[in-house]
Amino acid sequence: MSVPTDRRRAAGAADPTITMGSAKAADPRGHWLLLAVGMVLIACALVLNGYVTNVVGETQTPPPAIDVSTPELEGVRRGGPVLNLTAGAAASARPPARSVALTFDDGPDPTWTPQVLDVLRRHGAKATFFTVGSKVARYPDLARRIVTEGHEIGNHTYAHADLTAVPGWRLRLELSLTQKALAGATGLHTTLVRPPYSSTPAAVTQPQWQSLRAVAAEGYLIALTDLDTKDWSQVTAGRIAKSALPAKGRGAIVMMHDSGGDRSRTVKGLDLALKELGSRGYRAVTVTGALGMPSAHQPAAGVERFTGWALNTAQRAAGTLTAALSWVLFAAGTLTLARLGLFAALAWMHARRTRRGRRRRGVARWEAPPPVTVIVPAYNEEAGIQATVLSLVRTSYTGELEVIVVDDGSTDATADLAAALGLPNVRVVRQPNGGKPAALNTGIAHARHELLVMVDGDTVFEPATIGHLVRQLADPAVGAVSGNTKVGNRRGMIGRWQHIEYVIGFNLDRRAFELLDCMATVPGAIGAFRRSALVALGGVSVDTLAEDTDLTMALCRSGWRVVYEEKALAWTEAPNSLGQLWKQRYRWCYGTLQAMWKHRRALIERGPFGRRCLGYLTLFQVVLPLLAPVVDLMALYNTAVGDPLPVVAVWAGFVVVQALTGWYALRLDGERASALWVLPLQQFVYRQLMYLVVIQSLATAILGVRLRWHTVRREGTFGGALPRQAAP
């Protein structure tokens, strides 16, 4: 039986390629610029949000300063709460008798500011709100309501920074950003400032005095207070009301807060205070109204309004993005941990069934070892082809065996070296270069037996491998068997990383995939198939660069079971440089995307394969890797602007969970657990390389670029000798 030349599409799939445009020779490059720009914009959003939440910047309280008294400072301490320092000499003022200027700091707040405004409206009172610029940007409607209802707005800095603890540039930035936020929200600027953490004139320290002078240098009128209700200290509403009442009919500026915590007592205390003030004949007015001054409000220019609107919009977007990324970080972590736990549990179940010598659907045995054909597609594999062939013919399998080496137009001595071995059961078939799928189809056409084993030209088998593969095909429902691929050249750091990945990410997963009936790939390095099943599919498809994934998906969609045989060991030569690794994984990932697109109709077909397999690949091999740069950026951000210990603790926790999973996977594979020492280092280079490969592959697919076959340089790791299995 031969493979038809005009092969039909596997499993009835239509429109098999993921590429949409015409073929192009060069890999895309522009997406790296877009990625960089996107990461910079996200970083800017994180920094802005950190600044807004008073995390970014020098806001830590400095060591207590020596409070040096000067005649000028003593004059301020004895003066009124409103300071004018713009003329050089300090001048102060206080409200006249029977006038009270109620002031509210730290808002606007969506919960408490509206309630404060409602109380003021019921009593016909006016007040001054010293607003935080970042909150104005977040709640512009509240700022507009304050102005619309006749109240006054003052500047309370942008991020509630302690102005005594920040450098001059930060002080000026705090005031300027608040003005922009006010302009964007209300179309106004203000000439009033109240520095955070200030109180009465008598409490002004030397460092505060220096900051007040710096504020005045920017042209502001400074409003301190006469009466601090200390409503932030959770006193009762009655105590707040009592603290807001001036003695003996004097005028006063009263400090309260409409944000920063539970202000229910403040709202009740305000209502009580206004009732009492009204009964005493007081008028509640704004700060400038109490002093008989022009309003602190000044119209902002059109440019300032637009700049403020842009700032406010950017801040709200940054807050939304940061919150969304936090949820993404949480979801990614949860999914990763859940996957590790689930797959470890499924691997345990698979190992338990294997130890009992049974599979889920019963036991099947061959009456006699059936004949087997081993196909070795080879292109420029002179470094290792003889080691591969010798490992096949030195098998302990007792059935009839033929080995077909298909030389796919090699430009080196691959075919000659294979033929030079002079082995009677080894045939070398030469053909023009057509790619690996074409070479496999040639091998299938020349095969004399029903059971086929496919092995790459850089891979060597253990003597018992073929027998372990074939025994699974005794079950007539099994169409393909995946073997256990191991990294042979694992001495360097890159080799060790791949060794960990093969054991944990590939072989452990395949145990779970068998139980879930969603095996995505029988690796090209080692797999066994029924020839009749492959011929029914039209042979190995040339539609994708991941012919092994494409073929496995087609078999599963056709109703065949695909199982994993952990005892069928194959040693492969892995890339030994980052450049070679990139080429290999780029081809793998791009080819997998092609296969997923080709078999997308499996999602709506009967049976769980499509939803489980494609769903898993989409979530864990596409979506999460695409989010990985943002996860790393969020980790760096949280480390830089906050307490790094939680970030380090979470990272260490993930490494521990991965290490435990890795230990179990290594134990199942009979490998030394000492290999896990490279796992933490894997998080800083290897992981980033893998998700950049996904980004490059997805960009290549979306832009319609047809990726060429990337060959990996072989070093001849095995040199004719089989590697020794690591001791458990």
Side-chain angles (χ1 to χ4, degrees):
M1 187 187 306
S2 62
V3 179
T5 303
D6 185 17
R7 299 186 309 277
R8 61 183 177 85
R9 300 299 185 192
D15 190 18
T17 60
I18 194 172
T19 53
M20 303 299 179
S22 59
K24 303 174 185 178
D27 290 341
R29 290 289 181 266
H31 63 287
W32 293 123
L33 177 61
L34 294 177
L35 175 63
V37 171
M39 295 298 288
V40 168
L41 291 176
I42 292 174
C44 290
L46 293 175
V47 170
L48 176 58
N49 188 73
Y51 188 95
V52 165
T53 55
N54 205 24
V55 175
V56 176
E58 299 116 348
T59 59
Q60 293 78 15
T61 302
I66 298 176
D67 192 13
V68 179
S69 180
T70 64
E72 190 176 30
L73 179 54
E74 287 300 325
V76 169
R77 289 171 175 172
R78 292 191 298 268
V82 180
L83 303 177
N84 185 351
L85 310 179
T86 59
S92 66
R94 67 176 70 252
R98 302 295 176 182
S99 294
V100 63
L102 298 173
T103 63
F104 298 90
D105 291 2
D106 298 351
D109 182 275
T111 300
W112 306 114
T113 301
Q115 295 185 40
V116 168
L117 290 171
D118 291 342
V119 173
L120 292 172
R121 182 170 53 187
R122 286 201 305 270
H123 290 275
K126 303 302 177 185
T128 300
F129 290 80
F130 288 96
T131 56
V132 175
S134 60
K135 294 185 178 180
V136 171
R138 188 174 182 184
Y139 308 112
D141 292 343
L142 288 177
R144 286 192 287 270
R145 180 181 171 185
I146 291 171
V147 173
T148 301
E149 296 186 4
H151 304 290
E152 193 168 51
I153 284 184
N155 190 327
H156 201 49
T157 73
Y158 192 75
H160 203 269
D162 184 353
L163 298 184
T164 66
V166 299
W169 68 265
R170 174 74 187 277
L171 180 148
R172 293 187 293 273
L173 182 64
E174 287 284 326
L175 300 175
S176 175
L177 288 176
T178 303
Q179 293 285 33
K180 287 180 170 59
L182 287 171
T186 67
L188 299 172
H189 284 163
T190 181
T191 58
L192 276 180
V193 164
R194 173 175 286 164
Y197 310 108
S198 62
S199 183
T200 63
V204 175
T205 64
Q206 181 63 227
Q208 287 177 330
W209 169 240
Q210 296 301 325
S211 67
L212 293 180
R213 295 183 64 176
V215 170
E218 299 299 312
Y220 290 96
L221 191 66
I222 300 167
L224 301 178
T225 186
D226 287 306
L227 300 175
D228 185 354
T229 62
K230 296 185 179 180
D231 56 342
W232 46 267
S233 63
Q234 300 300 313
V235 294
T236 64
R239 186 61 180 269
I240 293 172
K242 184 176 180 179
S243 300
L245 301 176
K248 301 178 182 180
R250 296 191 185 102
I253 295 179
V254 179
M255 180 190 290
M256 296 183 181
H257 296 80
D258 63 331
S259 186
D262 184 353
R263 297 296 177 231
S264 58
R265 296 182 180 89
T266 299
V267 174
K268 295 177 182 177
L270 173 64
D271 188 55
L272 294 173
L274 284 172
K275 290 178 181 178
E276 184 63 23
L277 288 169
S279 67
R280 296 185 184 186
Y282 274 85
R283 63 191 186 106
V285 293
T286 63
V287 170
T288 57
L291 298 176
M293 298 174 58
S295 172
H297 295 164
Q298 296 179 349
V303 174
E304 287 290 331
R305 294 185 182 190
F306 176 78
T307 304
W309 171 84
L311 172 65
N312 296 348
T313 302
Q315 183 198 303
R316 292 194 296 272
T320 302
L321 178 63
T322 303
L325 293 181
S326 298
W327 280 107
V328 167
L329 189 62
F330 174 78
T334 302
L335 286 171
T336 301
L337 290 176
R339 173 192 171 278
L340 288 172
L342 175 63
F343 275 46
L346 291 173
W348 174 81
M349 294 174 59
H350 182 276
R352 188 181 180 192
R353 292 183 178 185
T354 301
R355 285 194 299 269
R356 293 181 177 180
R358 64 182 178 85
R359 295 283 175 161
R360 180 173 52 185
R361 300 188 184 181
V363 178
R365 299 178 185 275
W366 295 105
E367 294 182 0
V372 176
T373 296
V374 181
I375 301 173
V376 186
Y379 175 75
N380 288 352
E381 298 285 1
E382 66 177 6
I385 189 63
Q386 288 191 330
T388 297
V389 174
L390 288 173
S391 74
L392 298 173
V393 298
R394 292 170 180 171
T395 179
S396 60
Y397 184 65
T398 58
E400 182 182 349
L401 181 73
E402 72 165 345
V403 178
I404 300 176
V405 178
V406 182
D407 180 74
D408 189 40
S410 297
T411 58
D412 62 6
T414 297
D416 294 336
L417 289 172
L421 292 173
L423 299 171
N425 57 339
V426 177
R427 286 188 289 156
V428 178
V429 178
R430 304 171 190 252
Q431 69 174 30
N433 180 256
K436 186 177 179 181
L440 289 171
N441 286 320
T442 298
I444 295 171
H446 284 80
R448 292 196 296 261
H449 306 308
E450 166 67 8
L451 302 187
L452 307 178
V453 173
M454 298 181 183
V455 53
D456 285 343
D458 62 344
T459 303
V460 297
F461 275 15
E462 294 278 349
T465 294
I466 295 176
H468 287 307
L469 288 172
V470 170
R471 71 170 183 168
Q472 297 295 342
L473 291 171
D475 183 347
V478 174
V481 183
S482 169
N484 187 342
T485 312
K486 291 182 173 292
V487 175
N489 53 331
R490 60 178 74 168
R491 293 186 181 275
M493 185 62 69
I494 297 176
R496 288 187 173 95
W497 282 338
Q498 291 177 87
H499 166 50
I500 293 292
E501 181 187 27
Y502 270 60
V503 175
I504 301 176
F506 296 162
N507 294 331
L508 185 69
D509 289 358
R510 288 192 176 100
R511 299 173 189 269
F513 290 151
E514 178 184 328
L515 296 185
L516 295 174
D517 279 336
C518 63
M519 190 76 71
T521 305
V522 173
I526 175 171
F529 303 86
R530 295 185 186 277
R531 186 173 185 270
S532 57
L534 300 186
V535 172
L537 293 174
V540 182
S541 172
V542 298
D543 294 330
T544 74
L545 291 183
E547 82 293 329
D548 47 5
T549 300
D550 186 359
L551 180 60
T552 306
M553 289 183 177
L555 285 169
C556 290
R557 293 180 65 190
S558 297
W560 291 101
R561 285 187 63 215
V562 179
V563 300
Y564 173 67
E565 176 51 69
E566 65 274 12
K567 293 182 180 179
L569 301 180
W571 297 84
T572 189
E573 180 180 322
N576 59 3
S577 70
L578 291 178
Q580 293 295 311
L581 180 63
W582 175 275
K583 287 183 178 180
Q584 183 195 66
R585 298 310 171 88
Y586 185 15
R587 175 176 62 82
W588 285 7
C589 185
Y590 179 84
T592 299
L593 291 174
Q594 287 180 308
M596 291 169 63
W597 181 258
K598 174 179 177 178
H599 295 282
R600 63 193 183 277
R601 295 182 185 275
L603 289 169
I604 59 176
E605 293 174 351
R606 295 183 60 184
F609 169 76
R611 290 177 290 278
R612 291 177 183 175
C613 179
L614 297 184
Y616 173 86
L617 293 177
T618 300
L619 182 58
F620 289 101
Q621 294 194 21
V622 178
V623 175
L624 287 185
L626 289 178
L627 296 176
V630 177
V631 171
D632 285 353
L633 188 61
M634 285 289 289
L636 291 174
Y637 163 75
N638 289 325
T639 302
V641 305
D643 183 359
L645 289 180
V647 178
V648 174
V650 170
W651 174 81
F654 271 100
V655 172
V656 168
V657 172
Q658 287 180 317
L660 290 174
T661 306
W663 169 82
Y664 182 62
L666 290 167
R667 182 171 178 269
L668 286 178
D669 260 22
E671 296 280 359
R672 293 187 179 93
S674 59
L676 291 173
W677 73 267
V678 301
L679 189 60
L681 300 176
Q682 194 181 43
Q683 307 300 310
F684 297 105
V685 177
Y686 194 81
R687 176 175 165 274
Q688 285 73 19
L689 182 70
M690 293 300 102
Y691 68 59
L692 290 177
V693 164
V694 175
I695 294 172
Q696 172 77 357
S697 302
L698 194 61
T700 303
I702 291 174
L703 295 176
V705 178
R706 288 192 181 276
L707 183 64
R708 295 169 296 179
W709 189 279
H710 288 166
T711 58
V712 178
R713 185 178 62 253
R714 305 302 183 191
E715 303 294 338
T717 296
F718 307 119
L722 297 179
R724 185 175 298 173
Q725 166 73 341

